């Protein structure tokens, strides 16, 4: 919660004055100290959205302002999901396995939590695409495949971590920092440029490293095929070692007889997720039609460049560099959009 609030505060401080809410700085600081910054952002976005909808504003600037606000909220929700909700889900699963008891409400809660984690990734992706000019929005079928592949990749990962903790609870206290450190170094080597200064950038990299402990998250521009292969290969080997460690120390009993088939299904589930991801980018990606027509293509698909342009405000100085950088990590932008922007002023 503190990390997400810190990011929210840093973003507000770096935004141009025209993008900031009309609230005293002291009050904004107090809200973030009280862990209410994210809640305030949601209220502010509702206020802007109400103005756009009920006033039927036709100004593109207002609509794009709303898109920028919703993207910030989506990004913060993603951080909250992997820094708070996913570890809590792993802990809850561990407790249920330890006690071998589960109420119906707990089972429903775990199932809902898995769905929410995958949904947060889909919501982030859809929100990011809203900043692109002439975009092809995700179709219902593509959205379902995107949702399912993340679900099938995340479920086995959380399961094997909980099972490993079941036999070696203190081992997780060693395993997580080691994998997190490897992911942090990997992110640092890719040269992220998300925050306004080096100090906050390290915070961002640390948060992304936590996400990478559970799920793939693109952080650098360029072709991601080889980076994705390296990441999924590492996670597959690491998760397999955790599962084998559990099998090695597990004493078979009727009480836990159901765990063996569950663990046996984890690998096919992960491979199914990888297969769905390949299917998505090869046949169901919404940009495939544009690619065939000679248009743009997404970085994750082929890394090529095309005619895609990043959305901007009507006033050229009101460009959010943070959002531009995020779009550049996911999409191939046209040359004008590749200019480096400071937050609030273009750097020529």
């Amino acid at each position: 919660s503190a990390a997400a609030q810190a990011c929210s505060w840093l973003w507000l401080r770096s935004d141009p004055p025209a993008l900031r809410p009309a609230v005293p700085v002291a009050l904004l600081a107090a809200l973030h100290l009280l862990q209410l910054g994210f809640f305030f952002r949601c209220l502010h976005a509702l206020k802007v959205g109400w103005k756009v909808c009920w006033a039927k504003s036709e100004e593109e600037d207002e609509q794009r302002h709303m898109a920028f606000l919703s993207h910030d909220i989506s990004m913060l929700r993603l951080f909250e999901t992997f820094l708070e909700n996913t570890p809590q889900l792993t802990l809850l699963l561990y407790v249920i396995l330890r006690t071998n008891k589960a109420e119906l409400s707990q089972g429903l809660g775990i199932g809902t939590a898995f769905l929410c984690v995958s949904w947060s990734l889909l919501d982030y992706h859809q929100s990011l695409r809203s900043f692109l000019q002439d975009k092809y929005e995700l179709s219902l079928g593509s959205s379902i495949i995107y949702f399912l592949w993340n679900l099938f990749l995340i479920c086995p990962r959380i399961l094997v971590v909980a099972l490993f903790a079941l036999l070696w609870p203190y081992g997780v206290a060693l395993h997580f920092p080691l994998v997190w450190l490897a992911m942090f170094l990997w992110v640092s080597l890719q040269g992220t440029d998300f925050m306004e200064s080096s100090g906050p950038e390290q915070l961002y990299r640390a948060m992304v490293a936590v996400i990478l402990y559970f799920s793939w998250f693109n952080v650098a521009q360029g072709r991601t095929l080889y980076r994705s292969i390296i990441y999924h290969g590492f996670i597959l080997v690491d998760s397999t070692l955790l599962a084998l460690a559990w099998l090695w120390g597990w004493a078979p009993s009727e009480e836990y007889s159901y765990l063996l088939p569950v663990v046996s299904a984890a690998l096919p589930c992960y491979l199914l997720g990888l297969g769905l991801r390949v299917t998505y980018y090869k046949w169901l990606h919404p940009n495939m039609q544009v690619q065939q027509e000679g248009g743009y293509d997404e970085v994750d698909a082929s890394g090529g460049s095309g005619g895609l342009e990043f959305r901007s405000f009507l006033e050229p100085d009101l460009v959010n560099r943070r959002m531009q950088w995020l779009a550049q990590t996911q999409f191939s932008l046209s040359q004008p959009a590749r200019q480096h922007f400071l937050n609030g002023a273009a750097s020529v």
Side-chain angles (χ1 to χ4, degrees):
S1 179
Q5 298 294 327
C7 278
S8 176
W9 170 252
L10 291 169
W11 295 351
L12 284 174
R13 294 292 293 167
S14 64
D15 283 343
L19 295 180
R20 299 175 189 171
V23 176
V25 175
L27 179 57
L28 283 176
L31 288 172
H32 283 81
L33 285 175
L34 295 173
Q35 308 299 296
L36 296 174
F38 179 73
F39 179 70
F40 171 78
R41 278 180 173 273
C42 293
L43 291 180
H44 180 59
L46 285 174
K47 179 182 176 181
V48 175
W50 181 275
K51 178 181 178 182
V52 172
C53 293
W54 288 98
K56 296 183 179 180
S57 174
E58 297 181 357
E59 295 183 5
E60 284 291 324
D61 220 33
E62 287 291 341
Q63 297 176 8
R64 293 173 183 178
H65 185 195
M66 183 60 203
F68 274 77
L69 292 176
S70 66
H71 182 85
D72 270 348
I73 291 174
S74 180
M75 187 71 173
L76 290 172
R77 186 186 298 116
L78 186 69
F79 285 154
E80 180 185 33
T81 296
F82 283 97
L83 272 70
E84 183 177 350
N85 299 341
T86 305
Q88 288 178 351
L89 173 60
T90 307
L91 177 61
L92 177 59
L93 188 59
Y94 161 79
V95 171
I96 291 177
L97 292 174
R98 170 66 66 181
T99 60
N100 203 28
K101 296 179 181 178
E103 301 291 338
L104 177 61
S105 59
Q106 290 178 316
L108 292 176
I110 288 178
T112 303
F114 275 116
L115 295 177
C116 288
V117 172
S118 186
W119 179 264
S120 68
L121 289 166
L122 175 61
D123 176 70
Y124 167 77
H125 183 72
Q126 289 179 326
S127 179
L128 193 62
R129 291 183 63 83
S130 69
F131 292 104
L132 302 176
Q133 294 281 9
D134 302 323
K135 67 183 184 303
Y136 277 58
E137 294 184 355
L138 288 169
S139 66
L140 177 61
S142 298
S143 298
I144 292 175
I145 296 297
Y146 193 97
F147 176 85
L148 289 178
W149 111 47
N150 284 290
L151 181 65
F152 290 150
L153 293 180
I154 291 172
C155 287
R157 179 62 175 174
I158 295 178
L159 174 65
V160 295
V161 172
L163 286 174
F164 182 74
L166 187 62
L167 295 182
W168 293 282
Y170 295 104
V172 175
L174 179 63
H175 176 265
F176 173 78
L178 290 177
V179 175
W180 173 86
L181 181 60
M183 295 300 175
F184 179 80
L185 294 175
W186 192 46
V187 171
S188 300
L189 290 174
Q190 295 182 59
T192 61
D193 186 25
F194 182 73
M195 306 295 276
E196 290 296 317
S197 58
S198 59
E201 188 67 29
Q202 300 306 315
L203 172 64
Y204 168 74
R205 293 173 179 177
M207 297 170 72
V208 169
V210 177
I211 297 178
L212 289 170
Y213 182 84
F214 295 102
S215 174
W216 163 257
F217 188 78
N218 189 26
V219 296
Q221 300 180 36
R223 187 176 178 85
T224 62
L225 176 61
Y226 300 115
R227 293 199 301 266
S228 180
I229 292 175
I230 293 173
Y231 170 80
H232 286 295
F234 176 87
I235 292 297
L236 183 59
V237 171
D238 181 69
S239 298
T240 302
L241 291 176
L242 293 180
L244 290 176
W246 175 80
L247 287 172
W248 177 71
W250 176 60
S253 64
E254 294 184 0
E255 190 177 12
Y256 289 96
S257 59
Y258 64 92
L259 286 180
L260 189 58
V262 171
V263 174
S264 301
L267 179 59
C269 182
Y270 195 88
L271 295 178
L272 176 60
L274 292 177
L276 287 175
R277 179 174 182 178
V278 172
T279 300
Y280 173 83
Y281 281 113
K282 192 170 182 62
W283 289 290
L284 299 178
H285 196 281
N287 288 342
M288 292 303 296
Q289 179 182 353
V290 186
Q291 182 184 7
Q292 294 173 358
E293 296 173 354
Y296 68 88
D297 187 27
E298 194 170 2
V299 171
D300 278 347
S302 71
S305 60
L308 184 63
E309 294 184 357
F310 184 72
R311 283 185 181 268
S312 62
F313 288 100
L314 294 179
E315 300 181 27
D317 286 343
L318 299 181
V319 177
N320 195 309
R321 189 195 68 85
R322 177 176 64 251
M323 302 310 169
Q324 183 195 30
W325 187 88
L326 282 172
Q328 287 179 334
T329 64
Q330 296 292 334
F331 302 96
S332 298
L333 302 181
S334 60
Q335 188 61 32
R338 292 182 183 274
Q339 296 175 354
H340 181 74
F341 282 89
L342 297 178
N343 212 353
S347 176
V348 182

